[in-house]
Amino acid sequence: EIRLSLVGSEMCIRDSASTTAFTLSNNASTNDVFVFYNGVAMRPTTDYSISGATLTFTFTPVNGSELMARYFI
């Protein structure tokens, strides 16, 4: 289970397959979102990118990870 929490709303993503892309509840841009992986801040464009409502990591989060995206809607 990989959990993706969004400020203002929360969703739990359960995926047994390795995935690098997650869907946000709203469209956003890479530099307008703070993304955390297991409590560690990620660097925009280096660690992740966002296109529309799709958050894509440059690495594959491991099973049991917690992802958090903070942004204003």
Short mmCIF file of all heavy atoms in Angstrom, two decimals:
data_model
loop_
_atom_site.label_atom_id
_atom_site.label_comp_id
_atom_site.label_asym_id
_atom_site.label_seq_id
_atom_site.Cartn_x
_atom_site.Cartn_y
_atom_site.Cartn_z
N GLU A 1 0.85 -1.18 0.00
CA GLU A 1 0.00 0.00 0.00
C GLU A 1 0.88 1.23 0.00
O GLU A 1 1.82 1.35 0.77
CB GLU A 1 -0.89 0.00 1.24
CG GLU A 1 -1.68 1.26 1.39
CD GLU A 1 -2.53 1.24 2.64
OE1 GLU A 1 -3.42 0.38 2.74
OE2 GLU A 1 -2.28 2.09 3.50
N ILE A 2 0.60 2.14 -0.88
CA ILE A 2 1.25 3.44 -0.91
C ILE A 2 0.17 4.47 -0.66
O ILE A 2 -0.85 4.48 -1.34
CB ILE A 2 1.94 3.71 -2.26
CG1 ILE A 2 3.05 2.69 -2.49
CG2 ILE A 2 2.50 5.12 -2.31
CD1 ILE A 2 3.70 2.78 -3.84
N ARG A 3 0.35 5.30 0.35
CA ARG A 3 -0.66 6.30 0.68
C ARG A 3 -0.27 7.65 0.12
O ARG A 3 0.85 8.10 0.31
CB ARG A 3 -0.83 6.42 2.20
CG ARG A 3 -1.40 5.20 2.81
CD ARG A 3 -1.51 5.30 4.30
NE ARG A 3 -1.24 6.63 4.80
CZ ARG A 3 -1.81 7.13 5.89
NH1 ARG A 3 -2.66 6.42 6.57
NH2 ARG A 3 -1.50 8.34 6.32
N LEU A 4 -1.21 8.30 -0.54
CA LEU A 4 -1.01 9.65 -1.05
C LEU A 4 -2.00 10.55 -0.36
O LEU A 4 -3.20 10.41 -0.55
CB LEU A 4 -1.20 9.72 -2.57
CG LEU A 4 -1.18 11.11 -3.21
CD1 LEU A 4 0.16 11.80 -2.96
CD2 LEU A 4 -1.48 11.03 -4.68
N SER A 5 -1.54 11.44 0.49
CA SER A 5 -2.39 12.38 1.21
C SER A 5 -2.33 13.73 0.54
O SER A 5 -1.26 14.22 0.20
CB SER A 5 -1.93 12.51 2.66
OG SER A 5 -1.99 11.28 3.32
N LEU A 6 -3.47 14.35 0.38
CA LEU A 6 -3.55 15.67 -0.22
C LEU A 6 -4.16 16.63 0.79
O LEU A 6 -5.16 16.31 1.40
CB LEU A 6 -4.42 15.64 -1.48
CG LEU A 6 -3.99 14.64 -2.55
CD1 LEU A 6 -5.04 14.57 -3.64
CD2 LEU A 6 -2.65 15.06 -3.12
N VAL A 7 -3.54 17.78 0.99
CA VAL A 7 -4.10 18.77 1.89
C VAL A 7 -5.45 19.21 1.35
O VAL A 7 -5.59 19.52 0.18
CB VAL A 7 -3.14 19.96 2.04
CG1 VAL A 7 -3.79 21.09 2.80
CG2 VAL A 7 -1.88 19.51 2.75
N GLY A 8 -6.45 19.22 2.20
CA GLY A 8 -7.80 19.57 1.78
C GLY A 8 -8.61 18.33 1.43
O GLY A 8 -9.81 18.32 1.56
N SER A 9 -7.96 17.30 1.00
CA SER A 9 -8.62 16.02 0.75
C SER A 9 -7.57 14.93 0.94
O SER A 9 -6.39 15.19 0.96
CB SER A 9 -9.21 15.96 -0.65
OG SER A 9 -8.20 16.03 -1.61
N GLU A 10 -8.01 13.74 1.11
CA GLU A 10 -7.06 12.65 1.31
C GLU A 10 -7.52 11.44 0.52
O GLU A 10 -8.70 11.16 0.44
CB GLU A 10 -6.97 12.30 2.79
CG GLU A 10 -5.90 11.27 3.09
CD GLU A 10 -5.69 11.09 4.57
OE1 GLU A 10 -5.48 12.07 5.28
OE2 GLU A 10 -5.75 9.93 5.00
N MET A 11 -6.57 10.77 -0.07
CA MET A 11 -6.91 9.55 -0.79
C MET A 11 -5.87 8.50 -0.48
O MET A 11 -4.73 8.80 -0.18
CB MET A 11 -7.00 9.81 -2.29
CG MET A 11 -5.70 10.28 -2.92
SD MET A 11 -5.85 10.85 -4.61
CE MET A 11 -6.32 9.38 -5.45
N CYS A 12 -6.28 7.27 -0.48
CA CYS A 12 -5.38 6.17 -0.22
C CYS A 12 -5.25 5.36 -1.50
O CYS A 12 -6.24 4.94 -2.08
CB CYS A 12 -5.93 5.29 0.89
SG CYS A 12 -4.85 3.94 1.34
N ILE A 13 -4.03 5.20 -1.96
CA ILE A 13 -3.79 4.46 -3.19
C ILE A 13 -3.22 3.10 -2.83
O ILE A 13 -2.20 3.01 -2.15
CB ILE A 13 -2.81 5.21 -4.11
CG1 ILE A 13 -3.42 6.54 -4.52
CG2 ILE A 13 -2.45 4.36 -5.32
CD1 ILE A 13 -2.48 7.41 -5.30
N ARG A 14 -3.87 2.06 -3.24
CA ARG A 14 -3.38 0.71 -3.02
C ARG A 14 -3.01 0.13 -4.37
O ARG A 14 -3.85 0.00 -5.24
CB ARG A 14 -4.44 -0.15 -2.34
CG ARG A 14 -4.69 0.26 -0.92
CD ARG A 14 -5.71 -0.66 -0.27
NE ARG A 14 -5.88 -0.34 1.13
CZ ARG A 14 -6.71 0.56 1.60
NH1 ARG A 14 -7.46 1.26 0.77
NH2 ARG A 14 -6.80 0.79 2.89
N ASP A 15 -1.76 -0.15 -4.52
CA ASP A 15 -1.30 -0.64 -5.81
C ASP A 15 -0.19 -1.65 -5.57
O ASP A 15 0.84 -1.32 -4.99
CB ASP A 15 -0.77 0.53 -6.65
CG ASP A 15 -0.55 0.14 -8.09
OD1 ASP A 15 -0.45 -1.07 -8.38
OD2 ASP A 15 -0.46 1.05 -8.92
N SER A 16 -0.41 -2.87 -5.96
CA SER A 16 0.60 -3.89 -5.75
C SER A 16 1.71 -3.81 -6.80
O SER A 16 2.80 -4.29 -6.60
CB SER A 16 -0.04 -5.29 -5.79
OG SER A 16 -0.69 -5.48 -7.01
N ALA A 17 1.42 -3.16 -7.92
CA ALA A 17 2.43 -3.01 -8.97
C ALA A 17 3.24 -1.75 -8.71
O ALA A 17 2.77 -0.81 -8.09
CB ALA A 17 1.74 -2.90 -10.33
N SER A 18 4.45 -1.75 -9.16
CA SER A 18 5.29 -0.56 -9.04
C SER A 18 4.75 0.52 -9.96
O SER A 18 4.48 0.28 -11.13
CB SER A 18 6.73 -0.89 -9.41
OG SER A 18 7.27 -1.83 -8.53
N THR A 19 4.58 1.72 -9.40
CA THR A 19 4.08 2.82 -10.21
C THR A 19 4.80 4.10 -9.84
O THR A 19 5.25 4.26 -8.71
CB THR A 19 2.55 2.99 -10.04
OG1 THR A 19 2.09 3.98 -10.94
CG2 THR A 19 2.17 3.36 -8.62
N THR A 20 4.94 4.99 -10.78
CA THR A 20 5.57 6.27 -10.52
C THR A 20 4.59 7.43 -10.68
O THR A 20 4.92 8.55 -10.33
CB THR A 20 6.76 6.51 -11.47
OG1 THR A 20 6.29 6.46 -12.82
CG2 THR A 20 7.84 5.46 -11.27
N ALA A 21 3.39 7.17 -11.21
CA ALA A 21 2.41 8.23 -11.47
C ALA A 21 1.20 8.10 -10.57
O ALA A 21 0.68 7.01 -10.37
CB ALA A 21 1.98 8.19 -12.94
N PHE A 22 0.78 9.24 -10.02
CA PHE A 22 -0.37 9.30 -9.13
C PHE A 22 -1.26 10.46 -9.55
O PHE A 22 -0.77 11.47 -10.06
CB PHE A 22 0.08 9.50 -7.68
CG PHE A 22 0.97 8.39 -7.19
CD1 PHE A 22 2.34 8.46 -7.37
CD2 PHE A 22 0.43 7.28 -6.59
CE1 PHE A 22 3.16 7.44 -6.94
CE2 PHE A 22 1.25 6.25 -6.15
CZ PHE A 22 2.61 6.32 -6.32
N THR A 23 -2.55 10.33 -9.33
CA THR A 23 -3.50 11.37 -9.74
C THR A 23 -3.86 12.26 -8.56
O THR A 23 -4.31 11.77 -7.52
CB THR A 23 -4.78 10.73 -10.31
OG1 THR A 23 -4.42 9.90 -11.42
CG2 THR A 23 -5.75 11.79 -10.78
N LEU A 24 -3.66 13.56 -8.74
CA LEU A 24 -4.06 14.56 -7.75
C LEU A 24 -5.54 14.87 -7.96
O LEU A 24 -6.11 14.59 -9.01
CB LEU A 24 -3.23 15.83 -7.93
CG LEU A 24 -1.71 15.67 -7.80
CD1 LEU A 24 -1.02 16.98 -8.16
CD2 LEU A 24 -1.34 15.23 -6.40
N SER A 25 -6.15 15.50 -6.96
CA SER A 25 -7.57 15.82 -7.08
C SER A 25 -7.83 17.07 -7.92
O SER A 25 -8.95 17.31 -8.34
CB SER A 25 -8.19 16.00 -5.69
OG SER A 25 -7.51 16.99 -4.97
N ASN A 26 -6.76 17.85 -8.20
CA ASN A 26 -6.90 19.05 -9.02
C ASN A 26 -5.67 19.21 -9.91
O ASN A 26 -4.60 18.68 -9.60
CB ASN A 26 -7.00 20.30 -8.14
CG ASN A 26 -8.27 20.33 -7.34
OD1 ASN A 26 -9.35 20.28 -7.89
ND2 ASN A 26 -8.14 20.39 -6.03
N ASN A 27 -5.83 19.95 -10.98
CA ASN A 27 -4.68 20.29 -11.82
C ASN A 27 -3.73 21.20 -11.04
O ASN A 27 -4.18 22.00 -10.21
CB ASN A 27 -5.12 21.00 -13.10
CG ASN A 27 -5.81 20.07 -14.06
OD1 ASN A 27 -5.75 18.85 -13.93
ND2 ASN A 27 -6.48 20.64 -15.04
N ALA A 28 -2.46 21.07 -11.29
CA ALA A 28 -1.45 21.89 -10.61
C ALA A 28 -0.22 21.96 -11.50
O ALA A 28 -0.15 21.28 -12.53
CB ALA A 28 -1.10 21.28 -9.26
N SER A 29 0.75 22.78 -11.09
CA SER A 29 2.02 22.81 -11.81
C SER A 29 3.13 22.39 -10.86
O SER A 29 3.00 22.50 -9.64
CB SER A 29 2.28 24.20 -12.40
OG SER A 29 2.44 25.14 -11.37
N THR A 30 4.21 21.91 -11.40
CA THR A 30 5.31 21.33 -10.62
C THR A 30 5.79 22.26 -9.51
O THR A 30 5.98 21.84 -8.37
CB THR A 30 6.48 20.97 -11.54
OG1 THR A 30 6.02 20.01 -12.52
CG2 THR A 30 7.63 20.36 -10.78
N ASN A 31 5.99 23.53 -9.81
CA ASN A 31 6.55 24.46 -8.82
C ASN A 31 5.54 25.00 -7.83
O ASN A 31 5.92 25.75 -6.92
CB ASN A 31 7.27 25.61 -9.54
CG ASN A 31 8.51 25.13 -10.25
OD1 ASN A 31 9.26 24.32 -9.71
ND2 ASN A 31 8.73 25.60 -11.46
N ASP A 32 4.26 24.64 -7.97
CA ASP A 32 3.24 25.11 -7.04
C ASP A 32 2.85 24.07 -6.00
O ASP A 32 1.95 24.31 -5.20
CB ASP A 32 1.98 25.53 -7.82
CG ASP A 32 2.22 26.77 -8.67
OD1 ASP A 32 3.14 27.55 -8.34
OD2 ASP A 32 1.49 26.95 -9.65
N VAL A 33 3.52 22.93 -6.00
CA VAL A 33 3.16 21.84 -5.09
C VAL A 33 4.38 21.42 -4.28
O VAL A 33 5.47 21.26 -4.83
CB VAL A 33 2.62 20.62 -5.88
CG1 VAL A 33 2.26 19.49 -4.95
CG2 VAL A 33 1.41 21.03 -6.71
N PHE A 34 4.20 21.29 -2.97
CA PHE A 34 5.24 20.73 -2.11
C PHE A 34 4.95 19.24 -1.97
O PHE A 34 3.86 18.85 -1.55
CB PHE A 34 5.21 21.38 -0.73
CG PHE A 34 5.56 22.83 -0.74
CD1 PHE A 34 4.57 23.80 -0.68
CD2 PHE A 34 6.88 23.24 -0.82
CE1 PHE A 34 4.88 25.14 -0.69
CE2 PHE A 34 7.21 24.59 -0.85
CZ PHE A 34 6.20 25.54 -0.78
N VAL A 35 5.92 18.40 -2.33
CA VAL A 35 5.74 16.95 -2.29
C VAL A 35 6.72 16.36 -1.28
O VAL A 35 7.90 16.71 -1.27
CB VAL A 35 5.95 16.33 -3.69
CG1 VAL A 35 5.85 14.82 -3.63
CG2 VAL A 35 4.92 16.89 -4.67
N PHE A 36 6.19 15.47 -0.43
CA PHE A 36 7.00 14.80 0.58
C PHE A 36 6.91 13.29 0.39
O PHE A 36 5.84 12.76 0.13
CB PHE A 36 6.51 15.17 1.98
CG PHE A 36 6.59 16.64 2.27
CD1 PHE A 36 5.54 17.47 1.91
CD2 PHE A 36 7.70 17.18 2.86
CE1 PHE A 36 5.61 18.84 2.15
CE2 PHE A 36 7.78 18.54 3.10
CZ PHE A 36 6.73 19.37 2.75
N TYR A 37 8.03 12.62 0.53
CA TYR A 37 8.12 11.16 0.42
C TYR A 37 8.64 10.64 1.76
O TYR A 37 9.77 10.92 2.13
CB TYR A 37 9.05 10.79 -0.73
CG TYR A 37 9.34 9.31 -0.87
CD1 TYR A 37 8.34 8.43 -1.25
CD2 TYR A 37 10.60 8.80 -0.63
CE1 TYR A 37 8.59 7.07 -1.37
CE2 TYR A 37 10.87 7.46 -0.76
CZ TYR A 37 9.86 6.60 -1.13
OH TYR A 37 10.12 5.25 -1.26
N ASN A 38 7.78 9.93 2.49
CA ASN A 38 8.13 9.44 3.83
C ASN A 38 8.67 10.57 4.70
O ASN A 38 9.63 10.41 5.44
CB ASN A 38 9.13 8.29 3.75
CG ASN A 38 8.50 7.04 3.18
OD1 ASN A 38 7.32 6.78 3.39
ND2 ASN A 38 9.27 6.27 2.44
N GLY A 39 8.05 11.75 4.61
CA GLY A 39 8.41 12.89 5.43
C GLY A 39 9.54 13.74 4.91
O GLY A 39 9.88 14.77 5.49
N VAL A 40 10.15 13.35 3.81
CA VAL A 40 11.29 14.09 3.24
C VAL A 40 10.80 14.91 2.05
O VAL A 40 10.15 14.37 1.14
CB VAL A 40 12.41 13.13 2.80
CG1 VAL A 40 13.55 13.89 2.15
CG2 VAL A 40 12.91 12.31 3.99
N ALA A 41 11.13 16.21 2.05
CA ALA A 41 10.72 17.08 0.95
C ALA A 41 11.44 16.67 -0.34
O ALA A 41 12.64 16.44 -0.34
CB ALA A 41 11.04 18.53 1.28
N MET A 42 10.68 16.59 -1.41
CA MET A 42 11.22 16.27 -2.72
C MET A 42 11.50 17.56 -3.48
O MET A 42 10.89 18.59 -3.23
CB MET A 42 10.23 15.41 -3.51
CG MET A 42 9.91 14.07 -2.87
SD MET A 42 11.25 12.86 -3.01
CE MET A 42 12.07 13.07 -1.42
N ARG A 43 12.42 17.50 -4.43
CA ARG A 43 12.79 18.65 -5.24
C ARG A 43 12.02 18.66 -6.55
O ARG A 43 12.06 17.67 -7.30
CB ARG A 43 14.29 18.64 -5.52
CG ARG A 43 15.12 18.87 -4.26
CD ARG A 43 16.56 18.64 -4.52
NE ARG A 43 16.70 17.19 -4.79
CZ ARG A 43 17.83 16.59 -5.06
NH1 ARG A 43 18.94 17.28 -5.15
NH2 ARG A 43 17.88 15.30 -5.27
N PRO A 44 11.33 19.79 -6.85
CA PRO A 44 10.61 19.88 -8.12
C PRO A 44 11.55 19.66 -9.29
O PRO A 44 12.70 20.09 -9.28
CB PRO A 44 10.07 21.31 -8.13
CG PRO A 44 10.13 21.76 -6.71
CD PRO A 44 11.25 21.01 -6.07
N THR A 45 11.08 18.99 -10.29
CA THR A 45 11.76 18.62 -11.55
C THR A 45 12.88 17.60 -11.35
O THR A 45 13.13 16.81 -12.22
CB THR A 45 12.30 19.83 -12.35
OG1 THR A 45 13.35 20.46 -11.63
CG2 THR A 45 11.20 20.83 -12.65
N THR A 46 13.55 17.60 -10.20
CA THR A 46 14.59 16.61 -9.93
C THR A 46 13.98 15.29 -9.47
O THR A 46 14.35 14.22 -9.95
CB THR A 46 15.57 17.11 -8.85
OG1 THR A 46 16.16 18.32 -9.31
CG2 THR A 46 16.65 16.09 -8.56
N ASP A 47 13.02 15.38 -8.53
CA ASP A 47 12.40 14.19 -7.95
C ASP A 47 11.01 13.90 -8.49
O ASP A 47 10.54 12.77 -8.43
CB ASP A 47 12.31 14.32 -6.43
CG ASP A 47 13.68 14.45 -5.78
OD1 ASP A 47 14.60 13.72 -6.20
OD2 ASP A 47 13.83 15.27 -4.86
N TYR A 48 10.33 14.92 -9.00
CA TYR A 48 8.96 14.74 -9.49
C TYR A 48 8.60 15.83 -10.48
O TYR A 48 9.24 16.88 -10.54
CB TYR A 48 7.95 14.74 -8.33
CG TYR A 48 7.79 16.08 -7.66
CD1 TYR A 48 6.82 16.98 -8.08
CD2 TYR A 48 8.62 16.46 -6.62
CE1 TYR A 48 6.67 18.22 -7.48
CE2 TYR A 48 8.49 17.69 -6.00
CZ TYR A 48 7.51 18.56 -6.44
OH TYR A 48 7.37 19.79 -5.83
N SER A 49 7.55 15.56 -11.24
CA SER A 49 6.97 16.57 -12.12
C SER A 49 5.45 16.43 -12.05
O SER A 49 4.94 15.39 -11.62
CB SER A 49 7.45 16.40 -13.56
OG SER A 49 7.02 15.16 -14.07
N ILE A 50 4.77 17.47 -12.45
CA ILE A 50 3.31 17.45 -12.46
C ILE A 50 2.84 18.00 -13.79
O ILE A 50 3.29 19.06 -14.24
CB ILE A 50 2.72 18.29 -11.31
CG1 ILE A 50 3.16 17.69 -9.97
CG2 ILE A 50 1.21 18.35 -11.42
CD1 ILE A 50 2.77 18.52 -8.77
N SER A 51 1.95 17.26 -14.42
CA SER A 51 1.32 17.69 -15.66
C SER A 51 -0.17 17.52 -15.48
O SER A 51 -0.65 16.39 -15.30
CB SER A 51 1.83 16.86 -16.83
OG SER A 51 1.18 17.25 -18.02
N GLY A 52 -0.90 18.63 -15.49
CA GLY A 52 -2.34 18.55 -15.23
C GLY A 52 -2.56 18.08 -13.81
O GLY A 52 -2.13 18.73 -12.86
N ALA A 53 -3.21 16.94 -13.64
CA ALA A 53 -3.45 16.38 -12.32
C ALA A 53 -2.60 15.14 -12.05
O ALA A 53 -2.85 14.40 -11.11
CB ALA A 53 -4.94 16.04 -12.17
N THR A 54 -1.58 14.91 -12.88
CA THR A 54 -0.74 13.72 -12.72
C THR A 54 0.60 14.08 -12.10
O THR A 54 1.37 14.87 -12.66
CB THR A 54 -0.51 13.02 -14.07
OG1 THR A 54 -1.78 12.69 -14.64
CG2 THR A 54 0.31 11.76 -13.90
N LEU A 55 0.87 13.50 -10.95
CA LEU A 55 2.14 13.64 -10.24
C LEU A 55 3.00 12.44 -10.61
O LEU A 55 2.60 11.30 -10.41
CB LEU A 55 1.89 13.67 -8.73
CG LEU A 55 3.09 13.46 -7.80
CD1 LEU A 55 4.06 14.62 -7.92
CD2 LEU A 55 2.61 13.30 -6.37
N THR A 56 4.18 12.69 -11.19
CA THR A 56 5.05 11.61 -11.63
C THR A 56 6.41 11.74 -10.96
O THR A 56 7.06 12.78 -11.04
CB THR A 56 5.24 11.63 -13.16
OG1 THR A 56 3.95 11.59 -13.78
CG2 THR A 56 6.07 10.45 -13.62
N PHE A 57 6.82 10.66 -10.28
CA PHE A 57 8.13 10.64 -9.63
C PHE A 57 9.19 10.17 -10.62
O PHE A 57 8.91 9.43 -11.55
CB PHE A 57 8.11 9.69 -8.43
CG PHE A 57 7.38 10.26 -7.25
CD1 PHE A 57 6.04 9.94 -7.03
CD2 PHE A 57 8.00 11.11 -6.37
CE1 PHE A 57 5.35 10.47 -5.96
CE2 PHE A 57 7.32 11.65 -5.28
CZ PHE A 57 5.99 11.33 -5.08
N THR A 58 10.43 10.57 -10.38
CA THR A 58 11.55 10.12 -11.20
C THR A 58 12.11 8.81 -10.66
O THR A 58 13.08 8.28 -11.20
CB THR A 58 12.67 11.18 -11.24
OG1 THR A 58 13.10 11.45 -9.90
CG2 THR A 58 12.18 12.47 -11.90
N PHE A 59 11.49 8.28 -9.60
CA PHE A 59 11.87 7.01 -9.00
C PHE A 59 10.59 6.26 -8.67
O PHE A 59 9.51 6.84 -8.71
CB PHE A 59 12.72 7.22 -7.74
CG PHE A 59 11.99 7.98 -6.66
CD1 PHE A 59 11.30 7.31 -5.67
CD2 PHE A 59 11.99 9.37 -6.66
CE1 PHE A 59 10.61 8.01 -4.68
CE2 PHE A 59 11.31 10.08 -5.68
CZ PHE A 59 10.62 9.40 -4.69
N THR A 60 10.69 5.01 -8.33
CA THR A 60 9.51 4.21 -7.96
C THR A 60 9.40 4.13 -6.44
O THR A 60 10.29 3.56 -5.80
CB THR A 60 9.61 2.79 -8.54
OG1 THR A 60 9.76 2.88 -9.96
CG2 THR A 60 8.36 1.98 -8.23
N PRO A 61 8.36 4.73 -5.85
CA PRO A 61 8.18 4.63 -4.41
C PRO A 61 8.01 3.16 -3.99
O PRO A 61 7.34 2.39 -4.68
CB PRO A 61 6.89 5.41 -4.15
CG PRO A 61 6.79 6.36 -5.31
CD PRO A 61 7.35 5.58 -6.47
N VAL A 62 8.62 2.80 -2.88
CA VAL A 62 8.53 1.42 -2.42
C VAL A 62 7.21 1.18 -1.69
O VAL A 62 6.58 2.11 -1.21
CB VAL A 62 9.72 1.04 -1.49
CG1 VAL A 62 11.04 1.14 -2.24
CG2 VAL A 62 9.74 1.91 -0.26
N ASN A 63 6.81 -0.09 -1.65
CA ASN A 63 5.59 -0.47 -0.97
C ASN A 63 5.65 -0.02 0.48
O ASN A 63 6.68 -0.14 1.14
CB ASN A 63 5.41 -1.99 -1.06
CG ASN A 63 4.02 -2.42 -0.67
OD1 ASN A 63 3.07 -1.65 -0.78
ND2 ASN A 63 3.90 -3.64 -0.21
N GLY A 64 4.56 0.53 1.01
CA GLY A 64 4.51 1.01 2.38
C GLY A 64 4.91 2.47 2.53
O GLY A 64 4.94 3.00 3.63
N SER A 65 5.20 3.13 1.42
CA SER A 65 5.62 4.54 1.46
C SER A 65 4.43 5.45 1.72
O SER A 65 3.29 5.12 1.40
CB SER A 65 6.25 4.95 0.13
OG SER A 65 7.40 4.20 -0.12
N GLU A 66 4.74 6.62 2.26
CA GLU A 66 3.71 7.64 2.42
C GLU A 66 4.10 8.85 1.61
O GLU A 66 5.21 9.37 1.74
CB GLU A 66 3.55 8.02 3.89
CG GLU A 66 2.42 9.01 4.08
CD GLU A 66 2.07 9.20 5.54
OE1 GLU A 66 1.49 8.29 6.13
OE2 GLU A 66 2.41 10.26 6.07
N LEU A 67 3.21 9.28 0.75
CA LEU A 67 3.42 10.45 -0.11
C LEU A 67 2.46 11.54 0.31
O LEU A 67 1.29 11.26 0.57
CB LEU A 67 3.17 10.09 -1.57
CG LEU A 67 3.87 8.85 -2.10
CD1 LEU A 67 3.39 8.55 -3.51
CD2 LEU A 67 5.38 9.03 -2.07
N MET A 68 2.93 12.78 0.36
CA MET A 68 2.05 13.89 0.67
C MET A 68 2.29 15.00 -0.33
O MET A 68 3.44 15.34 -0.62
CB MET A 68 2.28 14.43 2.07
CG MET A 68 1.30 15.53 2.43
SD MET A 68 1.65 16.44 3.96
CE MET A 68 2.01 15.16 5.11
N ALA A 69 1.20 15.55 -0.86
CA ALA A 69 1.28 16.70 -1.77
C ALA A 69 0.51 17.85 -1.13
O ALA A 69 -0.65 17.70 -0.78
CB ALA A 69 0.68 16.33 -3.12
N ARG A 70 1.17 18.98 -0.96
CA ARG A 70 0.53 20.16 -0.38
C ARG A 70 0.47 21.25 -1.43
O ARG A 70 1.48 21.63 -2.01
CB ARG A 70 1.33 20.69 0.81
CG ARG A 70 1.30 19.80 2.00
CD ARG A 70 2.11 20.40 3.13
NE ARG A 70 1.84 19.71 4.36
CZ ARG A 70 1.12 20.20 5.35
NH1 ARG A 70 0.63 21.41 5.26
NH2 ARG A 70 0.90 19.50 6.43
N TYR A 71 -0.75 21.73 -1.65
CA TYR A 71 -0.92 22.81 -2.60
C TYR A 71 -2.22 23.52 -2.35
O TYR A 71 -3.09 23.02 -1.65
CB TYR A 71 -0.86 22.30 -4.04
CG TYR A 71 -1.92 21.29 -4.42
CD1 TYR A 71 -3.01 21.67 -5.19
CD2 TYR A 71 -1.83 19.96 -4.04
CE1 TYR A 71 -3.97 20.77 -5.55
CE2 TYR A 71 -2.79 19.05 -4.40
CZ TYR A 71 -3.87 19.45 -5.15
OH TYR A 71 -4.82 18.54 -5.50
N PHE A 72 -2.34 24.73 -2.87
CA PHE A 72 -3.54 25.52 -2.71
C PHE A 72 -4.46 25.28 -3.90
O PHE A 72 -4.00 25.22 -5.04
CB PHE A 72 -3.21 27.01 -2.61
CG PHE A 72 -2.43 27.33 -1.38
CD1 PHE A 72 -1.07 27.56 -1.47
CD2 PHE A 72 -3.05 27.40 -0.14
CE1 PHE A 72 -0.34 27.86 -0.33
CE2 PHE A 72 -2.33 27.69 1.00
CZ PHE A 72 -0.96 27.92 0.90
N ILE A 73 -5.74 25.16 -3.62
CA ILE A 73 -6.71 24.94 -4.70
C ILE A 73 -7.64 26.13 -4.80
O ILE A 73 -7.72 26.94 -3.94
CB ILE A 73 -7.51 23.64 -4.51
CG1 ILE A 73 -8.14 23.59 -3.13
CG2 ILE A 73 -6.63 22.44 -4.72
CD1 ILE A 73 -9.06 22.42 -2.92
#
